[in-house]
Amino acid sequence: MSVIVTDRGFTTDDFTAGFVGLGEKAANDCGYGIDLPSDTSPDALADLTQAKMIRIDFPSSADGRGFTLAALLRRAGYQGRLRAKGHVLADQYAMARRSGFDEVEIDDALATRQPEDQWLYRADWQNHHYQARLRG
């Protein structure tokens, strides 16, 4: 199973349409989500702006390419749900939100190691970062 992390804490997955890989995407959007690996070419993102949900894989907590993909999707006009999936740590939650993710999907083992209170501590991501401190 997996746990969905939002600014309100842990919740269950309410997205029931399922996910397909980038190569399985139909010509017109059918309401399913698109799974993107972290090594997706930025050139492939332009065709995804109408997807209902995009889930970007984080194979390692040291792999930050997903943050870049999220920011590029938002700059391209993507307004659907954007989910980080995999090895995202509680310490990275604020970065995930600032780069454009709406939520994070983690497995039960990570949720046990980093309980909800650790994620909620970082949920006020808009006010607690160095740029806000510099602005005063």
Side-chain angles (χ1 to χ4, degrees):
M1 295 297 298
S2 59
V3 174
I4 305 300
V5 183
T6 68
D7 290 350
R8 295 180 307 282
F10 286 1
T11 187
T12 56
D13 194 352
D14 64 352
F15 188 75
T16 59
F19 293 90
V20 298
L22 183 60
E24 303 167 51
K25 182 178 136 338
N28 54 358
D29 181 47
C30 298
Y32 48 76
I34 306 292
D35 267 331
L36 293 181
S38 62
D39 64 352
T40 299
S41 168
D43 298 333
L45 303 179
D47 295 335
L48 302 177
T49 57
Q50 298 303 312
K52 188 168 182 100
M53 180 188 282
I54 296 175
R55 184 170 66 175
I56 299 175
D57 187 43
F58 280 76
S60 161
S61 60
D63 186 346
R65 294 176 291 178
F67 298 124
T68 301
L69 291 173
L72 290 171
L73 278 163
R74 292 300 187 196
R75 284 188 209 127
Y78 181 69
Q79 296 181 11
R81 279 173 73 179
L82 193 52
R83 179 185 291 177
K85 177 186 185 247
H87 297 282
V88 178
L89 304 177
D91 287 343
Q92 296 171 311
Y93 182 72
M95 179 62 179
R97 292 291 284 131
R98 281 194 290 276
S99 64
F101 286 105
D102 298 302
E103 56 201 38
V104 175
E105 179 179 341
I106 58 174
D107 63 25
D108 289 332
L110 180 56
T112 300
R113 284 192 314 272
Q114 295 189 323
E116 185 177 35
D117 65 319
Q118 291 184 22
W119 294 85
L120 286 172
Y121 181 76
R122 291 149 181 95
D124 193 10
W125 57 273
Q126 293 173 316
N127 294 320
H128 297 289
H129 58 90
Y130 76 95
Q131 293 158 330
R133 288 192 303 270
L134 290 174
R135 288 185 200 116

